[in-house]
């Protein structure tokens, strides 16, 4: 790439968004980040990675605190330092992870899947944000390739997984995870297939940043 470009991808479970991200990163010859982000944030902050993982798991709209939140917990707070008693609070752990994401966007081209990266980087001019979705039948078909469940059990698994993503996103950003307003590009992977999703993203990169951006 001729300049530092970041592609963020949020996705429904079973839509193949992670696969699309991996394929895109390989095709462009850039790094792919997903779960590695918690490790990166842990290394840079000196905080045990397990605390980042547990903070992610603790977010749920079933918690009254989440329902009460109507603004961005991230944007309206300051990053706390090691001397603060709130250094390992859920909110500060998110901000530490956000700082790691921002550092990536400022220093290298990469694909980032999940972690509300599209929101964190919404003011960065070098970012293309993508949401990958698909109809229920396709989600069930793809999920069945990885999960032993079937029928209503599998359907509920998909619903619960996507709800956790939505809860996480809403808690920290005050925005809705699946709102088209939060993305530059929304792709239906059932209609396009994974390879054409990659092609669509690469075409959008050229439209946005110039025909020679991928050279």
């Amino acid at each position: 790439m001729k300049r530092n470009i970041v592609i963020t991808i949020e996705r429904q479970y079973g839509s193949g968004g992670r696969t699309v991200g991996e394929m895109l990163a390989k095709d462009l010859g850039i790094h792919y980040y997903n779960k590695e982000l918690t490790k990166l944030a842990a290394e840079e902050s000196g905080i045990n990675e397990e605390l980042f993982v547990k903070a992610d798991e603790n977010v749920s709209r079933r918690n009254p605190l989440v329902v009460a939140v109507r603004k961005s917990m991230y944007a309206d707070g300051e990053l706390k330092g090691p001397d603060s008693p709130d250094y390992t609070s859920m909110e500060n752990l998110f901000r530490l992870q956000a700082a790691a994401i921002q550092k990536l966007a400022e220093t290298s081209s990469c694909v980032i899947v999940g972690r509300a990266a599209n929101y964190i980087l919404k003011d960065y001019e070098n970012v293309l944000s993508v949401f990958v979705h698909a109809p229920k039948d396709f989600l069930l078909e793809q999920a069945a390739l990885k999960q032993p469940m079937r029928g209503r059990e599998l359907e509920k698994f998909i619903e619960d997984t996507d709800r956790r993503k939505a809860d996480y996103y809403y808690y920290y950003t005050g925005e809705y995870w699946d709102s088209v307003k939060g993305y530059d590009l929304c792709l239906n992977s059932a209609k396009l297939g994974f390879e054409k999703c990659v092609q669509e993203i690469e075409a959008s990169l050229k439209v946005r940043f110039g025909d020679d951006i991928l050279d």
Side-chain angles (χ1 to χ4, degrees):
M1 280 188 171
K2 288 196 170 183
R3 58 174 291 196
N4 178 29
I5 299 296
V6 176
I7 303 96
T8 69
I9 299 178
E10 293 285 344
R11 76 286 184 209
Q12 288 183 293
Y13 187 87
S15 68
R18 183 175 65 179
T19 300
V20 169
E22 291 171 339
M23 291 170 62
L24 178 66
K26 183 177 180 180
D27 198 40
L28 298 180
I30 61 179
H31 203 88
Y32 167 90
Y33 292 95
N34 186 359
K35 293 181 179 180
E36 299 93 338
L37 287 169
T38 56
K39 182 178 181 180
L40 187 62
E43 291 174 349
E44 294 188 359
S45 66
I47 297 174
N48 191 303
E49 183 181 0
E50 187 63 24
L51 290 179
F52 287 93
V53 175
K54 287 183 178 179
D56 290 354
E57 295 172 349
N58 285 339
V59 177
S60 170
R61 281 203 189 104
R62 286 171 292 184
N63 184 332
L65 176 63
V66 178
V67 178
V69 174
R70 293 295 180 184
K71 59 183 180 179
S72 170
M73 293 294 293
Y74 165 64
D76 295 334
E78 296 181 358
L79 182 65
K80 309 297 183 183
D83 295 334
S84 170
D86 295 324
Y87 189 52
T88 59
S89 67
M90 285 174 56
E91 291 77 13
N92 204 54
L93 289 173
F94 180 85
R95 294 186 191 110
L96 287 166
Q97 188 168 256
I101 289 172
Q102 290 173 328
K103 184 176 179 180
L104 284 175
E106 293 163 3
T107 58
S108 62
S109 293
C110 59
V111 175
I112 301 176
V113 174
R115 309 295 170 183
N118 69 303
Y119 183 88
I120 292 166
L121 302 176
K122 62 185 175 67
D123 295 324
Y124 282 61
E125 293 297 327
N126 64 325
V127 176
L128 180 74
S129 59
V130 180
F131 187 82
V132 182
H133 62 97
K136 181 188 290 187
D137 288 350
F138 185 84
L139 299 178
L140 287 167
E141 177 185 323
Q142 292 298 309
L145 298 176
K146 296 183 178 181
Q147 300 295 334
M149 299 164 278
R150 295 294 182 270
R152 177 54 189 160
E153 185 182 13
L154 181 59
E155 187 175 339
K156 187 176 185 303
F157 175 82
I158 294 172
E159 292 170 355
D160 290 346
T161 302
D162 284 351
R163 189 191 70 245
R164 285 194 295 272
K165 293 177 186 176
D167 291 345
Y168 176 93
Y169 195 93
Y170 183 78
Y171 181 78
Y172 289 115
T173 73
E175 303 289 343
Y176 292 100
W177 167 70
D178 57 356
S179 171
V180 297
K181 295 185 294 184
Y183 303 95
D184 300 313
L185 185 64
C186 295
L187 301 174
N188 185 330
S189 56
K191 289 184 176 180
L192 293 172
F194 301 156
E195 289 187 6
K196 287 187 177 179
C197 281
V198 171
Q199 292 171 15
E200 287 280 2
I201 295 171
E202 292 181 350
S204 292
L205 288 172
K206 291 181 179 181
V207 170
R208 174 83 173 273
F209 302 109
D211 289 336
D212 62 347
I213 189 65
L214 304 183
D215 295 343

